[in-house]
Amino acid sequence: MAFFLNIFLLAVLVMIILLIISSYSTKKIQETTANGPRAYPLIGSTLSFNKNRHRLLQWYTELLRLSPSQTISIPLLGNRRTIVTANPENVEYILKTKFFNFPKGKPFTDLLGDLLGKGIFNVDGHAWSSQRKLASHVFSARSLRSFSFEVLKEEVENRLVPVLLAAADAGTAVDLQDVLKRFAFDVVCKVSLGWDPDCLDLTRPVNPLAEAFDTAAEISARRATEPVYAVWKVKRALNVGSERRLREAIRTVHVLVSEIVRAKRKSLEIGTGEEAKQDLLSRFLAAGHDGESVRDMVISFIMAGRDTTSAAMTWLFWLLSENGDVERKLLEEVDPLISLGLGFEELKEMSYTKACLCEAMRLYPPVSWDSKHAANDDVLPDGTRVKKGDKVTYFPYGMGRMENLWGKDWDEFKPSRWFDSKPGSTRPVLKPVSPFKFPVFQAGPRVCVGKEMAFMQMKYVLIWLVDSR
């Protein structure tokens, strides 16, 4: 206990020193250089980071615009240097060309390791490779695509649309983001676990697994915004404050998911209908995975699907409400298809709908940034020198706001920017855009295996909701 107390007192002392320095350095810390915020001996850019920690997206974007290479360096007290880039050449180098030199790294996996364990989104090397091969095989199966589509169809038509129509008939306001989050959690749990949390039944208390996931994800993400990482680590060691709540939430997630895994294993052992074997959990168990490994794998997929699509759809509906001309063009594509019936192939053909989704995610990506850690010294294509252990972050939020990438009208919601007009074509064609310029689904070997399913889900929801207006 004395050891932990000494660490805590050291952290308090450091924070006091920072406050003293900031009391006479306020004017200076507003200064920036071409390579990022001004850094000071020992403390680096910690003062500027702490001052802007509640607006990091905007701050990083402002700094990147000032950088000729769209890359900045942010040294922090007690941490290795952070390099943030919005340069597509750098992104390709990190995610593809030198993939093995830029793994997630221990500092990143520490942030989410308590929740995700050794799941696919929180491991490197052989552990990642073996899970990736299994996931790629599973997600390429036509049977999983058909199963996912049936889950989606049932959830939209029998739950989501009735909930929103009931609110419209009663003239009551709804929190669309909350409703879409509940919907997405229902869908991802059915597809991943073969288990129905029924979160769209608004008359019932919030499902304990959904509530615990929200708490665990929020606090885990907040760790990354601490100007001094030792602070959250000390709180975790002492089991106090937000880290205490995180530990309790993670325990709930692990216990409940483990119970679902045991029940699924038992049902597979006694034999059930084929329809009960289509979810990801059943497929992973059938492939020989068990125990904590399969628990961590399905938790990772739930984590990936629970907020991403709902965030993208929420922003898109807001953007449509502000851009009536885009909504009208969207309806022109949607209306003829509704009467014909919608299947997976029909959804793939909806190019304007996809352009609307891409444009919304350009401006408001579901994952604003992602970080790797250099395994060895390196040099990025723009000349930025990287030292072993540096955190290297690519920044989709800022990339969507760079004039040199998207033009002077980058701040406008224009789905038309995603089309090419080919000679002799009767309709515009979606043009290929480099995933390193638009890395909202990652890119390279770690590109999202559920990308096409995500588009399928978002398109189907969008069609039904705009048609139910």
Side-chain angles (χ1 to χ4, degrees):
M1 185 64 185
F3 173 74
F4 291 134
L5 182 59
N6 288 336
I7 294 178
F8 180 74
L9 292 175
L10 178 61
V12 171
L13 179 61
V14 169
M15 295 307 295
I16 291 174
I17 292 173
L18 293 180
L19 289 172
I20 292 173
I21 295 174
S22 65
S23 67
Y24 64 82
S25 299
T26 303
K27 185 175 182 179
K28 284 190 175 182
I29 64 173
Q30 294 174 351
E31 298 175 4
T32 62
T33 69
N35 297 316
R38 187 168 298 281
Y40 298 90
L42 182 65
I43 63 171
S45 302
T46 302
L47 297 177
S48 296
F49 184 93
N50 191 56
K51 179 181 178 182
N52 291 281
R53 60 184 296 203
H54 301 297
R55 56 181 299 273
L56 286 180
L57 298 182
Q58 293 80 9
W59 185 52
Y60 282 173
T61 302
E62 291 163 5
L63 293 173
L64 288 165
R65 286 201 187 111
L66 295 174
S67 169
S69 64
Q70 273 76 63
T71 302
I72 56 174
S73 175
I74 304 175
L76 297 175
L77 176 67
N79 299 318
R80 292 303 302 261
R81 183 177 58 144
T82 296
I83 296 169
V84 183
T85 186
N87 185 323
E89 292 184 359
N90 288 348
V91 176
E92 182 173 7
Y93 191 81
I94 296 162
L95 297 185
K96 181 183 176 183
T97 309
K98 284 294 192 75
F99 172 76
F100 291 106
N101 196 42
F102 293 96
K104 292 279 188 179
K106 189 176 184 302
F108 180 91
T109 57
D110 280 351
L111 293 174
L112 295 174
D114 293 332
L115 174 59
L116 298 183
K118 298 185 183 301
I120 187 172
F121 300 119
N122 207 51
V123 291
D124 293 307
H126 177 72
W128 169 79
S129 179
S130 60
Q131 291 186 55
R132 175 73 186 196
K133 288 177 182 176
L134 175 61
S136 297
H137 174 71
V138 168
F139 274 82
S140 65
R142 182 180 294 273
S143 57
L144 179 63
R145 188 177 71 186
S146 299
F147 170 69
S148 301
F149 185 77
E150 289 306 313
V151 167
L152 173 64
K153 182 178 178 181
E154 179 185 0
E155 192 73 17
V156 170
E157 296 178 21
N158 297 335
R159 289 183 176 174
L160 178 61
V161 171
V163 164
L164 294 176
L165 286 178
D169 291 341
T172 57
V174 295
D175 183 340
L176 185 59
Q177 182 174 15
D178 179 63
V179 170
L180 290 175
K181 280 181 65 177
R182 289 169 177 265
F183 159 79
F185 194 76
D186 277 356
V187 171
V188 76
C189 283
K190 284 183 175 182
V191 173
S192 298
L193 300 172
W195 173 74
D196 183 7
D198 197 11
C199 291
L200 274 178
D201 184 348
L202 305 183
T203 64
R204 299 172 56 183
V206 177
N207 185 281
L209 180 58
E211 186 173 32
F213 247 110
D214 280 342
T215 300
E218 179 184 347
I219 298 175
S220 295
R222 204 183 303 153
R223 285 173 168 179
T225 66
E226 290 285 358
V228 181
Y229 272 26
V231 172
W232 71 260
K233 291 185 176 182
V234 169
K235 287 164 66 178
R236 181 176 65 177
L238 297 176
N239 194 29
V240 297
S242 59
E243 288 294 320
R244 182 185 183 90
R245 298 198 310 277
L246 175 60
R247 181 171 296 181
E248 293 169 351
I250 289 174
R251 184 184 301 116
T252 298
V253 170
H254 285 178
V255 167
L256 292 178
V257 172
S258 294
E259 289 176 356
I260 294 169
V261 171
R262 284 193 293 272
K264 176 66 70 173
R265 188 192 310 113
K266 185 175 181 179
S267 71
L268 293 176
E269 288 172 354
I270 62 176
T272 56
E274 286 300 314
E275 69 280 356
K277 301 178 182 179
Q278 299 302 310
D279 55 86
L280 290 175
L281 175 56
S282 296
R283 294 166 189 262
F284 292 154
L285 290 171
H289 294 270
D290 207 347
E292 288 189 4
S293 66
V294 75
R295 181 202 70 187
D296 292 347
M297 289 171 71
V298 293
I299 285 176
S300 284
F301 284 108
I302 293 171
M303 185 76 171
R306 57 183 285 279
D307 279 345
T308 49
T309 55
S310 61
M313 289 187 291
T314 301
W315 279 114
L316 177 54
F317 283 120
W318 176 75
L319 288 165
L320 290 175
S321 72
E322 299 288 314
N323 294 270
D325 58 328
V326 175
E327 183 182 9
R328 285 189 292 273
K329 290 180 182 178
L330 180 64
L331 287 169
E332 289 175 6
E333 178 175 77
V334 168
D335 283 343
L337 292 172
I338 290 293
S339 59
L340 299 176
L342 290 171
F344 187 79
E345 295 303 321
E346 287 75 20
L347 291 175
K348 285 175 65 176
E349 295 300 316
M350 301 184 66
S351 57
Y352 192 76
T353 304
K354 184 173 183 177
C356 289
L357 288 163
C358 289
E359 182 69 348
M361 289 189 287
R362 175 184 71 84
L363 290 168
Y364 302 102
V367 179
S368 300
W369 64 57
D370 187 34
S371 299
K372 315 295 180 184
H373 288 80
N376 295 289
D377 291 357
D378 212 327
V379 180
L380 300 182
D382 67 1
T384 301
R385 295 191 174 276
V386 179
K387 294 293 185 181
K388 178 180 179 179
D390 282 351
K391 179 165 75 170
V392 183
T393 299
Y394 68 96
F395 189 41
Y397 181 90
M399 295 180 78
R401 286 162 166 70
M402 292 295 126
E403 182 177 319
N404 66 312
L405 296 181
W406 300 100
K408 293 184 178 180
D409 60 352
W410 67 263
D411 57 341
E412 297 180 31
F413 178 61
K414 291 179 61 176
S416 59
R417 76 173 77 243
W418 294 85
F419 290 97
D420 267 335
S421 295
K422 293 187 176 181
S425 176
T426 58
R427 52 182 296 185
V429 178
L430 281 172
K431 63 184 178 183
V433 175
S434 168
F436 308 107
K437 174 182 175 181
F438 179 63
V440 296
F441 291 98
Q442 284 221 42
R446 278 191 182 263
V447 67
C448 176
V449 293
K451 175 181 175 180
E452 292 307 317
M453 285 191 181
F455 272 117
M456 175 182 72
Q457 177 177 317
M458 292 187 290
K459 285 181 178 181
Y460 197 80
V461 171
L462 184 60
I463 290 167
W464 271 88
L465 295 197
V466 298
D467 189 64
S468 300
R469 65 200 186 282

